[in-house]
């Protein structure tokens, strides 16, 4: 396990207990957790993690939230992730999996039964752009997206908007058309690129290609938002989920 965070408002509906698992097969240029790439961290039993979650269960329920597994890439440790998700469901908590989808073939139907919401981070649609961003192929992620759609598994699609990297009109339009065809997408989150993880790259002495890249302007974000909305998709407007049925829109 890399780390945990209690009280997140940006990793699913309501207030979240986020478990960050170590290890990731992607090498995204804008990654804000490059220290989680390697399978190094705190050796932890699922029972211990669930004990920490249980101690916050009432707080999470009061905030209409639950548990989110993130990383790294949680499917690097699929069996461990399943234990935490299943245990969280037993505690009566809403569960979410934050994944790039690259290891989606490890996501069994049994695991999906323990997941209320998939936060699927589609880095780009254009294959060349996706490989430039991540170092791997996009096809496994798109395959998982289509599988989740067939199963009607609730999903939020996340897209990081990076000026000069992921913002090409044809890339954005292609992704919007693809997502618009899916039957299970509750909302799209357009995440503006930021530099909050830059210091980690410097501390790890990793070459950071985006050191001089500025966050997108509100106008740029608005342009991309309009492309997704034109496909009939609900796009996150920054509001947090309010109390009501877990998973409902604010």
């Amino acid at each position: 396990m890399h780390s945990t965070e209690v009280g997140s408002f940006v990793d699913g509906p309501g207030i979240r207990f986020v478990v960050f698992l170590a290890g990731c097969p992607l090498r995204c240029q804008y990654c804000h957790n490059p220290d989680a790439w390697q399978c190094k961290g705190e050796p932890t039993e699922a029972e211990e993690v669930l004990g920490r979650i249980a101690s916050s269960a009432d707080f999470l329920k009061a905030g209409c939230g639950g548990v989110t597994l993130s990383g790294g890439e949680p499917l690097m440790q699929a069996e461990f992730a399943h234990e935490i998700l299943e245990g969280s469901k037993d505690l009566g908590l809403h569960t979410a999996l934050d994944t790039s989808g690259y290891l989606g073939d490890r996501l069994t139907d049994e695991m999906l039964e323990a997941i209320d919401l998939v936060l699927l981070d589609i880095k780009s649609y254009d294959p060349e752009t996706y490989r430039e961003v991540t170092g791997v192929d996009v096809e496994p992620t798109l395959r998982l997206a289509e599988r989740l759609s067939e199963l009607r598994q609730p999903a939020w699609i996340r897209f990081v908007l990076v000026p000069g990297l992921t913002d090409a009109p044809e890339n954005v339009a292609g992704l919007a058309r693809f997502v618009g065809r899916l039957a299970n997408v509750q909302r799209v989150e357009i995440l503006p690129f930021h530099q909050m993880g830059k210091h980690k790259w410097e501390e790890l002495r990793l070459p950071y290609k985006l050191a001089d890249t500025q966050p997108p302007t509100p106008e740029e974000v608005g342009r991309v938002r309009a492309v997704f909305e034109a496909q009939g998709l609900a796009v996150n407007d920054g509001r947090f989920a309010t109390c009501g049925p877990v998973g409902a829109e604010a």
Side-chain angles (χ1 to χ4, degrees):
M1 187 175 70
H2 176 270
S3 58
T4 61
E5 178 183 348
V6 185
S8 170
F9 285 97
V10 295
D11 296 285
I15 301 174
R16 313 299 295 184
F17 187 114
V18 187
V19 181
F20 297 93
L21 300 185
C24 185
L26 278 62
R27 295 294 180 265
C28 298
Q29 289 190 31
Y30 52 72
C31 180
H32 61 273
N33 283 328
D35 51 330
W37 283 351
Q38 305 301 323
C39 284
K40 299 176 182 179
E42 179 186 353
T44 312
E45 297 290 336
E47 183 178 354
E48 179 182 345
V49 180
L50 288 169
R52 300 185 195 182
I53 293 170
S55 66
S56 300
D58 290 343
F59 169 67
L60 299 172
K61 291 176 183 177
C64 303
V67 175
T68 299
L69 294 195
S70 187
E73 169 53 64
L75 293 180
M76 287 280 286
Q77 304 181 64
E79 292 183 7
F80 182 57
H82 185 203
E83 287 186 65
I84 298 173
L85 291 164
E86 197 167 51
S88 298
K89 290 290 289 181
D90 290 342
L91 291 169
L93 294 169
H94 178 275
T95 58
L97 177 72
D98 182 6
T99 178
S100 70
Y102 183 68
L103 299 178
D105 289 345
R106 297 185 181 184
L107 192 57
T108 65
D109 289 345
E110 184 181 12
M111 281 189 70
L112 284 172
E113 291 178 0
I115 299 171
D116 293 308
L117 176 68
V118 177
L119 307 176
L120 184 58
D121 189 355
I122 305 182
K123 317 289 183 176
S124 281
Y125 183 74
D126 174 70
E128 292 184 7
T129 303
Y130 193 93
R131 176 165 283 280
E132 182 181 0
V133 172
T134 68
V136 300
D137 293 330
V138 68
E139 196 276 332
T141 294
L142 301 183
R143 184 168 66 241
L144 175 62
E146 292 171 336
R147 177 186 169 203
L148 295 175
S149 176
E150 291 172 0
L151 295 172
R152 297 300 194 272
Q153 181 83 22
W156 292 2
I157 302 299
R158 291 177 150 183
F159 172 64
V160 180
L161 180 62
V162 186
L165 183 61
T166 68
D167 62 341
E170 60 272 18
N171 184 46
V172 173
L175 180 57
R177 287 193 298 270
F178 174 79
V179 176
R181 294 195 297 268
L182 303 178
N184 61 325
V185 176
Q186 296 180 341
R187 66 196 264 183
V188 174
E189 295 190 320
I190 299 170
L191 307 178
F193 167 75
H194 59 72
Q195 292 284 6
M196 288 187 286
K198 181 179 179 180
H199 69 282
K200 292 185 179 181
W201 290 75
E202 295 171 346
E203 291 169 359
L204 294 169
R205 298 187 177 182
L206 294 171
Y208 185 50
K209 295 182 179 179
L210 302 178
D212 297 323
T213 300
Q214 297 299 311
T217 65
E219 291 76 17
E220 290 171 323
V221 175
R223 173 184 65 80
V224 171
R225 175 185 181 127
V227 175
F228 282 91
E229 289 180 333
Q231 296 296 324
L233 295 160
V235 180
N236 177 33
D237 61 2
R239 294 180 297 171
F240 299 135
T242 56
C243 281
V246 174
E249 292 301 310

